[in-house]
Amino acid sequence: MKALVLSGGKGTRLRPLTFTCAKQLIPVANKPILGYVLDQVEATNIKKIGIITAPETGHFVEDYVKDGSSWNLNVCYIPQEPLGLAHAVKTARRFLGQDSFIMCLGDNVTGQGLESFVKKFNNGHLDALIILKEVENPSAFGIAQLDDRGNIVRLAEKPKTPMGNLAIIGTYLFSNKVHEAIERIKPSWRGELEITDAIQEMINMGFSVKAEILNSWWLDTGKKDDILSANAKILDEYIELDVKGTITNSTIDGRVKVAPDAKIINSTIRGPCIIGKNTYIENSFIGPYSSIGDNSKIICSNIQYCVIQDSVIIKDIERLEDSLIGKNAKVNRNQRNRTIKLHVGDYSEIEV
């Protein structure tokens, strides 16, 4: 069995961050989202992985994953113009060959590993196993309808009138029969080859297509608030007290991870949160569910429920909440008057 991880797309909902970074590399708990996906692939003992990349951001993905040895994986990079998930499978046909494979979206994070899905797929001799999750807003997702035996009988992409609330979350297991189905479908109204159409075609062709309902959390990190939610969930699940930096006249409260060479002076750090390497914090409060990246400086500021990336400077900010700050950004208070001065990139969002 092989793995196919989709790390393409333009990440338009996360601009301007995605002008200089693939959306799958935006960190949660100071680790790129893609890294969590690769961790889960590694745990299945799958060794060969194809990573779908986009022309604009593929080199960022390659710089991070490299040859895959950090995950004991053998990586093949597959460039693709974003023309649908089924098109990604079609583009990867040469890499996949006749093998079964698990396909994951590189910007989706779940609280459940992939091992049980692989086991069910193999033991059941299935042609497709689609992972689903109950959602409150089914019109925003691809939705699957099941029969009493757990077989998928019908799918719809973002239906206006949903036939249920089981969303397709972006984790799929396929036999090589999926290629035959993809050859029979046509582009949707969006001009894309939809994976939902390919799965429906597999059902129509009589192949064995079953579903598994995720019994843990799932986060699609396609927007700013999704990134913050994923960051909070992962900090809550995984962070333990681990202080390696220098703490001077400061309070560490709860589950806080402080990386080596970090310096915290006259400050309070309240977990769960994580402080990156060589980061300097002085006269500040870092509240729960915050991630502070490497080489950043936080001075005389109050930060809560934020994702702060690497090499950021924040100074004299009375209260910063629910914020996602990109690399090398500077956030300062104007000490002389109440004038707001901004240097803001395209597609930014500011609330003052």
Side-chain angles (χ1 to χ4, degrees):
M1 189 174 230
K2 292 174 180 173
L4 187 65
V5 174
L6 276 56
S7 294
K10 296 182 178 180
T12 54
R13 294 179 298 171
L14 281 167
R15 288 176 176 171
L17 295 180
T18 47
F19 283 133
T20 57
C21 173
K23 63 179 178 177
Q24 298 83 5
L25 299 181
I26 292 175
V28 293
N30 284 4
K31 178 177 177 177
I33 299 160
L34 179 59
Y36 294 100
V37 177
L38 296 179
D39 288 345
Q40 292 190 337
V41 172
E42 179 189 18
T44 66
N45 292 320
I46 290 173
K47 297 302 180 185
K48 293 185 178 181
I49 179 171
I51 298 182
I52 296 286
T53 61
E56 300 89 348
T57 58
H59 60 288
F60 296 119
V61 174
E62 292 188 34
D63 286 346
Y64 173 62
V65 181
K66 298 182 172 61
D67 63 357
S69 58
S70 296
W71 293 269
N72 297 311
L73 296 170
N74 184 352
V75 175
C76 173
Y77 292 102
I78 306 166
Q80 182 226 5
E81 291 291 340
L83 296 173
L85 301 189
H87 182 264
V89 175
K90 189 171 184 177
T91 303
R93 178 72 187 270
R94 182 174 179 181
F95 163 76
L96 295 169
Q98 295 302 309
D99 295 314
S100 298
F101 63 98
I102 184 167
M103 182 169 77
C104 307
L105 303 185
D107 58 351
N108 276 16
V109 185
T110 68
Q112 183 177 343
L114 303 173
E115 301 100 310
S116 62
F117 305 143
V118 172
K119 184 176 181 181
K120 179 173 181 176
F121 177 84
N122 289 330
N123 290 347
H125 304 288
L126 304 178
D127 291 310
L129 179 64
I130 313 302
I131 313 306
L132 309 175
K133 178 69 176 177
E134 292 182 357
V135 295
E136 296 180 355
N137 52 336
S139 294
F141 302 95
I143 298 297
Q145 187 177 31
L146 309 183
D147 64 17
D148 294 337
R149 295 178 293 175
N151 296 306
I152 297 179
V153 294
R154 190 160 66 96
L155 302 103
E157 186 66 36
K158 299 180 180 178
K160 293 182 179 179
T161 306
M163 66 275 195
N165 68 340
L166 293 174
I168 303 168
I169 71 165
T171 302
Y172 316 81
L173 294 93
F174 291 116
S175 75
N176 57 25
K177 301 287 181 58
V178 69
H179 302 299
E180 186 178 347
I182 290 173
E183 291 301 321
R184 294 164 63 118
I185 65 173
K186 291 182 170 59
S188 67
W189 63 270
R190 299 191 299 178
E192 298 185 354
L193 287 177
E194 308 285 358
I195 199 67
T196 47
D197 290 344
I199 298 166
Q200 185 66 59
E201 189 62 28
M202 293 181 78
I203 296 168
N204 298 343
M205 296 169 72
F207 297 139
S208 177
V209 178
K210 287 190 176 291
E212 180 82 1
I213 298 176
L214 187 72
N215 59 14
S216 182
W217 49 268
W218 161 58
L219 295 163
D220 174 7
T221 56
K223 296 180 290 185
K224 186 262 288 184
D225 288 345
D226 299 330
I227 295 285
L228 295 176
S229 295
N231 183 67
K233 178 63 74 173
I234 288 175
L235 287 173
D236 216 17
E237 294 263 333
Y238 299 118
I239 290 299
E240 298 179 353
L241 181 62
D242 181 15
V243 178
K244 292 188 170 68
T246 302
I247 313 298
T248 305
N249 296 327
S250 298
T251 300
I252 304 296
D253 184 7
R255 295 180 293 118
V256 175
K257 183 173 182 178
V258 181
D261 299 321
K263 294 181 180 179
I264 299 173
I265 301 169
N266 299 327
S267 297
T268 296
I269 315 295
R270 185 168 297 157
C273 69
I274 184 169
I275 311 299
K277 293 182 293 185
N278 200 38
T279 283
Y280 181 86
I281 298 173
E282 183 178 5
N283 297 327
S284 295
F285 174 82
I286 309 297
Y289 304 113
S290 294
S291 295
I292 312 298
D294 297 344
N295 304 305
S296 292
K297 290 184 178 181
I298 314 294
I299 300 171
C300 299
S301 298
N302 182 320
I303 294 174
Q304 298 188 56
Y305 202 81
C306 291
V307 172
I308 311 297
Q309 296 191 43
D310 295 346
S311 303
V312 170
I313 297 174
I314 298 175
K315 185 177 180 182
D316 298 321
I317 301 301
E318 184 175 343
R319 192 174 183 89
L320 185 68
E321 289 186 3
D322 299 332
S323 298
L324 173 59
I325 309 295
K327 296 184 294 293
N328 300 298
K330 296 179 181 179
V331 183
N332 299 303
R333 179 185 177 189
N334 187 328
Q335 298 285 9
R336 291 173 300 203
N337 53 54
R338 299 182 65 86
T339 301
I340 296 172
K341 296 183 178 181
L342 303 175
H343 180 174
V344 180
D346 297 351
Y347 298 92
S348 296
E349 180 178 328
I350 296 173
E351 185 174 322
V352 298

